Amino acid sequence: MSIWKEDKKASEYKSLDTNYDMDVCVIGAGITGISTAYYLTKNGFKVAVVDKDDIASKASENTTAKITLQHGLIYNYLISSYGKEFALKYFNANKDAISNIQRIIAQENINCDFEYQSNYIYAEEQENIKKIENEITAINILEDNYASFETNLNLPFKVTGAIKTKNQAQFHPIKYIEGLAKYITENGGKIFTNTCITNIKNEDKVYVSFAKEYRIKSKYVVIASHYPFINFPGFYFSKMYQVTSYAMAVDIGKDAFDGMYINLAEPTLSFRNVQYGEKKLLIVSGGNHKTGFSPESKEFYGYKFLENKINKFYPNNKILYKWNTRDCISLDKIPYIGRFSNLVPNIYVATGFKKWGMSTSHVAGKLISDSILGNKNDFAEIYKATRLEPFKNIKEFAKLHNIILDKQKIKGKYS
């Protein structure tokens, strides 16, 4: 169980028990679906949010809850692959998301432990310093002096260098989502839990979302279910794969250090602190691997990898919480946000956040709500979900194909 779930309130939401006519039906009550519903409710739309589980479950309650625009070594890649203008839009979209989250928290008076922190991407190996330097140069091309090179970090081991970006943030994701949900239901919206949407049909230019014997009619549908449950005509299963990551909240015998940290090498190792009563625990995460593939060496993956690292750095530790989650990774490293398909108007999708869902959820919520409202969004084109570019990334497409083959080969070999 994640540390966030410890503070989760008993659900006040019920399953769908009658038919509804709404403006928008949002499928998925995680941070993406709830954020999208919040933006639409704020603009006077009648929104129904439906989830097969509870609100803030699955990925949203099993995150490390870092809010940052530094999504790995992304900006040098974007500039070299798509150009400065494209990279600047990605940068500004996520920078705006951080500001929007802070503004919403203040406006709706949500107590969710939001605090600004510096974010670091670090390297322990000398051969990776050039990658660090190239990324810093790329970021500072987009905004002068936004990133800096650092070697003195709070980590319990030495690094050869790191990227530092200031004014990033962390928070308690469930408290935040519960605050948004409260606003939605107090302003005409509906939230239905333990309700599985099994089909969506178009009937006379109105979509009907079916859940057993009941249905929700709406002009618009937003699929925010993490992994799109409809294959045709979007074919998102062919444009992304999933990765499983692990996390632990640890009492290290003293207050955990400030800052948010992640390495650039594999396997991933990430750190942040979290307030726990009078103490600050350390959240250690990483050890990720492709979902559906059980690694032969457990030493470098999963909980065992994290435990080995924690015991090495803090021999007298006490692990209080363990959790894991799955994240969708797009083939071109850019999330799919926007119209689900050119063949079906008024259905939207948000997926492929590549483990950076806290900022990207708000990029998605704002972008999709702007489209429904008819507002121009400067970032819509770069996230376009119907783009064909992912198939042009031969390396990642081959990786996905190999994953599918590997699953077939190892079926039955691993538990």
Side-chain angles (χ1 to χ4, degrees), residues 137-182:
T137 299
I139 295 169
N140 289 335
I141 286 172
L142 305 177
E143 183 166 327
D144 195 33
N145 294 322
Y146 197 87
S148 61
F149 182 86
E150 305 290 336
T151 55
N152 255 345
L153 306 187
N154 291 324
L155 294 171
F157 51 86
K158 289 184 178 181
V159 302
T160 55
I163 305 162
K164 177 183 179 181
T165 49
K166 295 185 293 184
N167 298 321
Q168 311 303 290
Q170 60 187 31
F171 69 168
H172 192 303
I174 289 181
K175 290 180 181 179
Y176 177 72
I177 294 168
E178 287 175 341
L180 295 188
K182 182 173 182 286

Tab-separated table of all heavy atoms in Angstrom, residues 137-182:
chain	number	residue	atom	x	y	z
A	137	THR	N	22.300	22.882	-21.469
A	137	THR	CA	22.371	23.828	-22.591
A	137	THR	C	21.022	23.929	-23.290
A	137	THR	O	20.543	25.036	-23.609
A	137	THR	CB	23.444	23.378	-23.610
A	137	THR	OG1	24.713	23.360	-22.961
A	137	THR	CG2	23.502	24.320	-24.798
A	138	ALA	N	20.373	22.791	-23.508
A	138	ALA	CA	19.071	22.779	-24.181
A	138	ALA	C	18.020	23.536	-23.370
A	138	ALA	O	17.257	24.349	-23.920
A	138	ALA	CB	18.619	21.339	-24.425
A	139	ILE	N	17.971	23.286	-22.063
A	139	ILE	CA	16.986	23.973	-21.216
A	139	ILE	C	17.220	25.475	-21.220
A	139	ILE	O	16.271	26.272	-21.349
A	139	ILE	CB	17.041	23.429	-19.772
A	139	ILE	CG1	16.615	21.967	-19.737
A	139	ILE	CG2	16.154	24.255	-18.841
A	139	ILE	CD1	16.884	21.279	-18.420
A	140	ASN	N	18.457	25.874	-21.113
A	140	ASN	CA	18.760	27.305	-21.044
A	140	ASN	C	18.602	28.014	-22.392
A	140	ASN	O	18.500	29.244	-22.443
A	140	ASN	CB	20.155	27.510	-20.469
A	140	ASN	CG	20.210	27.178	-18.983
A	140	ASN	OD1	19.196	27.243	-18.294
A	140	ASN	ND2	21.378	26.804	-18.492
A	141	ILE	N	18.568	27.268	-23.470
A	141	ILE	CA	18.171	27.838	-24.762
A	141	ILE	C	16.689	28.222	-24.713
A	141	ILE	O	16.275	29.249	-25.263
A	141	ILE	CB	18.427	26.823	-25.907
A	141	ILE	CG1	19.923	26.726	-26.197
A	141	ILE	CG2	17.668	27.207	-27.177
A	141	ILE	CD1	20.284	25.620	-27.169
A	142	LEU	N	15.901	27.410	-24.026
A	142	LEU	CA	14.456	27.646	-23.935
A	142	LEU	C	14.119	28.753	-22.935
A	142	LEU	O	13.215	29.544	-23.171
A	142	LEU	CB	13.740	26.348	-23.548
A	142	LEU	CG	14.010	25.148	-24.464
A	142	LEU	CD1	13.307	23.907	-23.946
A	142	LEU	CD2	13.571	25.454	-25.892
A	143	GLU	N	14.822	28.782	-21.816
A	143	GLU	CA	14.668	29.864	-20.830
A	143	GLU	C	16.007	30.077	-20.142
A	143	GLU	O	16.517	29.165	-19.482
A	143	GLU	CB	13.585	29.555	-19.809
A	143	GLU	CG	13.365	30.701	-18.843
A	143	GLU	CD	12.093	30.582	-18.025
A	143	GLU	OE1	11.096	30.045	-18.541
A	143	GLU	OE2	12.108	31.024	-16.856
A	144	ASP	N	16.534	31.245	-20.292
A	144	ASP	CA	17.878	31.562	-19.814
A	144	ASP	C	18.013	31.341	-18.311
A	144	ASP	O	17.142	31.743	-17.532
A	144	ASP	CB	18.219	33.014	-20.163
A	144	ASP	CG	19.701	33.309	-20.021
A	144	ASP	OD1	20.504	32.388	-20.285
A	144	ASP	OD2	20.046	34.449	-19.654
A	145	ASN	N	19.086	30.658	-17.919
A	145	ASN	CA	19.427	30.426	-16.506
A	145	ASN	C	18.372	29.603	-15.752
A	145	ASN	O	18.281	29.699	-14.531
A	145	ASN	CB	19.648	31.760	-15.777
A	145	ASN	CG	20.867	32.488	-16.302
A	145	ASN	OD1	21.884	31.872	-16.614
A	145	ASN	ND2	20.757	33.809	-16.419
A	146	TYR	N	17.597	28.800	-16.460
A	146	TYR	CA	16.593	27.977	-15.776
A	146	TYR	C	17.230	26.742	-15.143
A	146	TYR	O	16.757	26.240	-14.130
A	146	TYR	CB	15.497	27.554	-16.751
A	146	TYR	CG	14.241	27.069	-16.073
A	146	TYR	CD1	13.246	27.966	-15.690
A	146	TYR	CD2	14.045	25.718	-15.789
A	146	TYR	CE1	12.097	27.525	-15.056
A	146	TYR	CE2	12.893	25.269	-15.145
A	146	TYR	CZ	11.931	26.184	-14.786
A	146	TYR	OH	10.790	25.753	-14.140
A	147	ALA	N	18.297	26.246	-15.746
A	147	ALA	CA	18.964	25.035	-15.238
A	147	ALA	C	20.424	25.331	-14.948
A	147	ALA	O	21.033	26.202	-15.571
A	147	ALA	CB	18.852	23.903	-16.252
A	148	SER	N	20.983	24.599	-13.986
A	148	SER	CA	22.394	24.791	-13.633
A	148	SER	C	23.063	23.447	-13.396
A	148	SER	O	22.397	22.430	-13.137
A	148	SER	CB	22.526	25.665	-12.381
A	148	SER	OG	21.883	25.059	-11.271
A	149	PHE	N	24.399	23.435	-13.483
A	149	PHE	CA	25.191	22.233	-13.230
A	149	PHE	C	25.600	22.208	-11.767
A	149	PHE	O	26.105	23.199	-11.233
A	149	PHE	CB	26.437	22.242	-14.117
A	149	PHE	CG	27.289	21.013	-13.963
A	149	PHE	CD1	27.020	19.870	-14.690
A	149	PHE	CD2	28.367	20.995	-13.082
A	149	PHE	CE1	27.808	18.731	-14.555
A	149	PHE	CE2	29.157	19.871	-12.937
A	149	PHE	CZ	28.883	18.730	-13.675
A	150	GLU	N	25.363	21.076	-11.096
A	150	GLU	CA	25.652	20.952	-9.665
A	150	GLU	C	26.421	19.660	-9.398
A	150	GLU	O	26.221	18.648	-10.077
A	150	GLU	CB	24.351	20.938	-8.846
A	150	GLU	CG	23.427	22.125	-9.089
A	150	GLU	CD	23.960	23.438	-8.536
A	150	GLU	OE1	24.781	23.382	-7.595
A	150	GLU	OE2	23.557	24.506	-9.041
A	151	THR	N	27.255	19.696	-8.397
A	151	THR	CA	27.959	18.475	-7.952
A	151	THR	C	27.743	18.198	-6.466
A	151	THR	O	27.913	17.068	-6.012
A	151	THR	CB	29.478	18.592	-8.206
A	151	THR	OG1	29.978	19.774	-7.580
A	151	THR	CG2	29.771	18.640	-9.694
A	152	ASN	N	27.363	19.220	-5.710
A	152	ASN	CA	27.131	19.075	-4.266
A	152	ASN	C	25.653	18.833	-4.007
A	152	ASN	O	24.863	19.769	-3.969
A	152	ASN	CB	27.554	20.340	-3.534
A	152	ASN	CG	28.857	20.130	-2.796
A	152	ASN	OD1	29.295	19.016	-2.611
A	152	ASN	ND2	29.474	21.222	-2.395
A	153	LEU	N	25.258	17.585	-3.818
A	153	LEU	CA	23.857	17.249	-3.589
A	153	LEU	C	23.666	16.692	-2.180
A	153	LEU	O	24.624	16.334	-1.507
A	153	LEU	CB	23.373	16.228	-4.622
A	153	LEU	CG	23.574	16.566	-6.101
A	153	LEU	CD1	22.888	15.520	-6.982
A	153	LEU	CD2	23.074	17.956	-6.442
A	154	ASN	N	22.417	16.595	-1.762
A	154	ASN	CA	22.106	16.044	-0.435
A	154	ASN	C	22.112	14.523	-0.398
A	154	ASN	O	21.847	13.930	0.645
A	154	ASN	CB	20.714	16.532	0.007
A	154	ASN	CG	20.690	18.017	0.314
A	154	ASN	OD1	21.654	18.568	0.832
A	154	ASN	ND2	19.593	18.675	-0.020
A	155	LEU	N	22.367	13.892	-1.504
A	155	LEU	CA	22.291	12.433	-1.597
A	155	LEU	C	23.348	11.743	-0.735
A	155	LEU	O	24.407	12.321	-0.476
A	155	LEU	CB	22.457	12.007	-3.060
A	155	LEU	CG	21.330	12.445	-4.007
A	155	LEU	CD1	21.714	12.163	-5.456
A	155	LEU	CD2	20.019	11.750	-3.657
A	156	PRO	N	23.093	10.508	-0.316
A	156	PRO	CA	24.047	9.789	0.551
A	156	PRO	C	25.194	9.137	-0.230
A	156	PRO	O	25.805	8.185	0.254
A	156	PRO	CB	23.155	8.718	1.206
A	156	PRO	CG	22.095	8.446	0.198
A	156	PRO	CD	21.819	9.764	-0.469
A	157	PHE	N	25.459	9.622	-1.410
A	157	PHE	CA	26.571	9.136	-2.222
A	157	PHE	C	27.019	10.267	-3.136
A	157	PHE	O	26.302	11.250	-3.343
A	157	PHE	CB	26.169	7.901	-3.044
A	157	PHE	CG	24.902	8.084	-3.828
A	157	PHE	CD1	24.920	8.649	-5.102
A	157	PHE	CD2	23.679	7.701	-3.293
A	157	PHE	CE1	23.761	8.830	-5.820
A	157	PHE	CE2	22.495	7.876	-4.006
A	157	PHE	CZ	22.542	8.442	-5.274
A	158	LYS	N	28.199	10.133	-3.690
A	158	LYS	CA	28.744	11.177	-4.543
A	158	LYS	C	28.238	11.025	-5.970
A	158	LYS	O	28.005	9.918	-6.451
A	158	LYS	CB	30.279	11.127	-4.529
A	158	LYS	CG	30.885	11.571	-3.214
A	158	LYS	CD	32.406	11.605	-3.296
A	158	LYS	CE	33.012	12.108	-1.978
A	158	LYS	NZ	34.503	12.179	-2.051
A	159	VAL	N	28.091	12.171	-6.629
A	159	VAL	CA	27.721	12.172	-8.035
A	159	VAL	C	28.789	12.938	-8.811
A	159	VAL	O	29.515	13.757	-8.241
A	159	VAL	CB	26.334	12.821	-8.261
A	159	VAL	CG1	25.264	12.112	-7.464
A	159	VAL	CG2	26.353	14.314	-7.942
A	160	THR	N	28.876	12.670	-10.100
A	160	THR	CA	29.835	13.410	-10.927
A	160	THR	C	29.235	14.701	-11.460
A	160	THR	O	29.964	15.610	-11.850
A	160	THR	CB	30.307	12.544	-12.106
A	160	THR	OG1	29.170	12.079	-12.834
A	160	THR	CG2	31.113	11.354	-11.617
A	161	GLY	N	27.913	14.774	-11.450
A	161	GLY	CA	27.262	16.001	-11.901
A	161	GLY	C	25.755	15.837	-11.952
A	161	GLY	O	25.240	14.712	-11.968
A	162	ALA	N	25.048	16.971	-11.949
A	162	ALA	CA	23.592	16.927	-11.964
A	162	ALA	C	23.020	18.185	-12.594
A	162	ALA	O	23.630	19.261	-12.563
A	162	ALA	CB	23.048	16.770	-10.547
A	163	ILE	N	21.830	18.053	-13.156
A	163	ILE	CA	21.036	19.190	-13.618
A	163	ILE	C	20.151	19.629	-12.460
A	163	ILE	O	19.475	18.796	-11.853
A	163	ILE	CB	20.120	18.785	-14.783
A	163	ILE	CG1	20.914	18.161	-15.913
A	163	ILE	CG2	19.307	19.978	-15.276
A	163	ILE	CD1	20.056	17.361	-16.883
A	164	LYS	N	20.142	20.906	-12.171
A	164	LYS	CA	19.242	21.449	-11.160
A	164	LYS	C	18.249	22.396	-11.822
A	164	LYS	O	18.642	23.309	-12.548
A	164	LYS	CB	20.020	22.215	-10.087
A	164	LYS	CG	19.118	22.878	-9.035
A	164	LYS	CD	19.943	23.680	-8.034
A	164	LYS	CE	19.061	24.366	-7.000
A	164	LYS	NZ	19.867	25.174	-6.046
A	165	THR	N	16.961	22.152	-11.592
A	165	THR	CA	15.918	23.087	-12.004
A	165	THR	C	15.149	23.507	-10.759
A	165	THR	O	14.641	22.659	-10.026
A	165	THR	CB	14.966	22.449	-13.038
A	165	THR	OG1	14.551	21.167	-12.571
A	165	THR	CG2	15.643	22.301	-14.380
A	166	LYS	N	15.068	24.816	-10.541
A	166	LYS	CA	14.387	25.345	-9.351
A	166	LYS	C	12.882	25.455	-9.581
A	166	LYS	O	12.391	25.356	-10.700
A	166	LYS	CB	14.966	26.714	-8.997
A	166	LYS	CG	16.415	26.688	-8.570
A	166	LYS	CD	16.897	28.062	-8.121
A	166	LYS	CE	16.934	29.059	-9.259
A	166	LYS	NZ	17.501	30.363	-8.833
A	167	ASN	N	12.167	25.657	-8.463
A	167	ASN	CA	10.726	25.939	-8.498
A	167	ASN	C	9.901	24.821	-9.136
A	167	ASN	O	8.903	25.068	-9.802
A	167	ASN	CB	10.457	27.270	-9.208
A	167	ASN	CG	11.098	28.440	-8.491
A	167	ASN	OD1	11.099	28.485	-7.262
A	167	ASN	ND2	11.655	29.367	-9.243
A	168	GLN	N	10.328	23.586	-8.924
A	168	GLN	CA	9.489	22.430	-9.201
A	168	GLN	C	8.727	22.141	-7.894
A	168	GLN	O	8.832	22.913	-6.946
A	168	GLN	CB	10.342	21.261	-9.658
A	168	GLN	CG	11.341	21.609	-10.762
A	168	GLN	CD	10.732	22.196	-12.007
A	168	GLN	OE1	10.056	21.506	-12.752
A	168	GLN	NE2	10.966	23.484	-12.263
A	169	ALA	N	7.962	21.072	-7.814
A	169	ALA	CA	7.122	20.920	-6.623
A	169	ALA	C	6.798	19.457	-6.338
A	169	ALA	O	7.025	18.562	-7.162
A	169	ALA	CB	5.831	21.715	-6.793
A	170	GLN	N	6.274	19.239	-5.143
A	170	GLN	CA	5.766	17.935	-4.730
A	170	GLN	C	4.522	18.163	-3.887
A	170	GLN	O	4.331	19.239	-3.327
A	170	GLN	CB	6.828	17.148	-3.944
A	170	GLN	CG	7.294	17.831	-2.672
A	170	GLN	CD	8.461	17.104	-2.005
A	170	GLN	OE1	9.296	16.482	-2.645
A	170	GLN	NE2	8.527	17.185	-0.675
A	171	PHE	N	3.659	17.144	-3.802
A	171	PHE	CA	2.442	17.289	-3.002
A	171	PHE	C	1.899	15.918	-2.632
A	171	PHE	O	2.509	14.889	-2.924
A	171	PHE	CB	1.404	18.152	-3.709
A	171	PHE	CG	0.766	17.562	-4.962
A	171	PHE	CD1	-0.353	18.170	-5.517
A	171	PHE	CD2	1.267	16.436	-5.604
A	171	PHE	CE1	-0.961	17.652	-6.666
A	171	PHE	CE2	0.675	15.916	-6.743
A	171	PHE	CZ	-0.447	16.533	-7.268
A	172	HIS	N	0.730	15.914	-1.958
A	172	HIS	CA	0.030	14.684	-1.607
A	172	HIS	C	-1.059	14.493	-2.660
A	172	HIS	O	-2.047	15.216	-2.678
A	172	HIS	CB	-0.588	14.815	-0.213
A	172	HIS	CG	-1.099	13.532	0.368
A	172	HIS	ND1	-2.046	12.746	-0.271
A	172	HIS	CD2	-0.808	12.894	1.544
A	172	HIS	CE1	-2.315	11.693	0.480
A	172	HIS	NE2	-1.570	11.743	1.581
A	173	PRO	N	-0.915	13.528	-3.561
A	173	PRO	CA	-1.819	13.442	-4.706
A	173	PRO	C	-3.270	13.135	-4.348
A	173	PRO	O	-4.197	13.669	-4.970
A	173	PRO	CB	-1.205	12.326	-5.556
A	173	PRO	CG	-0.426	11.498	-4.586
A	173	PRO	CD	0.105	12.461	-3.577
A	174	ILE	N	-3.487	12.276	-3.364
A	174	ILE	CA	-4.869	11.908	-3.022
A	174	ILE	C	-5.594	13.081	-2.381
A	174	ILE	O	-6.764	13.361	-2.703
A	174	ILE	CB	-4.896	10.664	-2.116
A	174	ILE	CG1	-4.497	9.428	-2.936
A	174	ILE	CG2	-6.276	10.470	-1.496
A	174	ILE	CD1	-4.505	8.133	-2.181
A	175	LYS	N	-4.934	13.802	-1.482
A	175	LYS	CA	-5.575	14.981	-0.882
A	175	LYS	C	-5.933	16.003	-1.960
A	175	LYS	O	-6.979	16.647	-1.894
A	175	LYS	CB	-4.640	15.616	0.153
A	175	LYS	CG	-4.452	14.804	1.422
A	175	LYS	CD	-3.516	15.534	2.378
A	175	LYS	CE	-3.279	14.753	3.657
A	175	LYS	NZ	-2.339	15.462	4.569
A	176	TYR	N	-5.054	16.135	-2.943
A	176	TYR	CA	-5.309	17.077	-4.031
A	176	TYR	C	-6.513	16.638	-4.868
A	176	TYR	O	-7.428	17.424	-5.137
A	176	TYR	CB	-4.073	17.203	-4.907
A	176	TYR	CG	-4.266	18.100	-6.108
A	176	TYR	CD1	-4.368	19.476	-5.958
A	176	TYR	CD2	-4.358	17.563	-7.386
A	176	TYR	CE1	-4.552	20.305	-7.061
A	176	TYR	CE2	-4.546	18.384	-8.490
A	176	TYR	CZ	-4.643	19.748	-8.314
A	176	TYR	OH	-4.838	20.564	-9.407
A	177	ILE	N	-6.543	15.369	-5.270
A	177	ILE	CA	-7.634	14.856	-6.094
A	177	ILE	C	-8.953	14.931	-5.335
A	177	ILE	O	-9.994	15.283	-5.910
A	177	ILE	CB	-7.328	13.419	-6.551
A	177	ILE	CG1	-6.116	13.422	-7.503
A	177	ILE	CG2	-8.532	12.789	-7.245
A	177	ILE	CD1	-5.554	12.044	-7.795
A	178	GLU	N	-8.924	14.612	-4.049
A	178	GLU	CA	-10.153	14.710	-3.247
A	178	GLU	C	-10.665	16.145	-3.196
A	178	GLU	O	-11.881	16.383	-3.216
A	178	GLU	CB	-9.901	14.183	-1.833
A	178	GLU	CG	-9.761	12.660	-1.773
A	178	GLU	CD	-9.403	12.136	-0.398
A	178	GLU	OE1	-8.917	12.927	0.434
A	178	GLU	OE2	-9.599	10.932	-0.155
A	179	GLY	N	-9.752	17.117	-3.164
A	179	GLY	CA	-10.155	18.523	-3.180
A	179	GLY	C	-10.822	18.907	-4.485
A	179	GLY	O	-11.850	19.622	-4.491
A	180	LEU	N	-10.275	18.444	-5.605
A	180	LEU	CA	-10.895	18.720	-6.909
A	180	LEU	C	-12.260	18.035	-7.022
A	180	LEU	O	-13.219	18.622	-7.542
A	180	LEU	CB	-9.989	18.228	-8.040
A	180	LEU	CG	-8.632	18.883	-8.231
A	180	LEU	CD1	-7.980	18.374	-9.515
A	180	LEU	CD2	-8.735	20.397	-8.277
A	181	ALA	N	-12.338	16.790	-6.547
A	181	ALA	CA	-13.595	16.040	-6.613
A	181	ALA	C	-14.688	16.749	-5.817
A	181	ALA	O	-15.853	16.790	-6.235
A	181	ALA	CB	-13.379	14.623	-6.094
A	182	LYS	N	-14.313	17.299	-4.681
A	182	LYS	CA	-15.275	18.039	-3.853
A	182	LYS	C	-15.835	19.236	-4.629
A	182	LYS	O	-17.051	19.488	-4.616
A	182	LYS	CB	-14.588	18.511	-2.568
A	182	LYS	CG	-15.472	19.256	-1.577
A	182	LYS	CD	-14.705	19.511	-0.285
A	182	LYS	CE	-15.554	20.212	0.755
A	182	LYS	NZ	-15.766	21.629	0.427
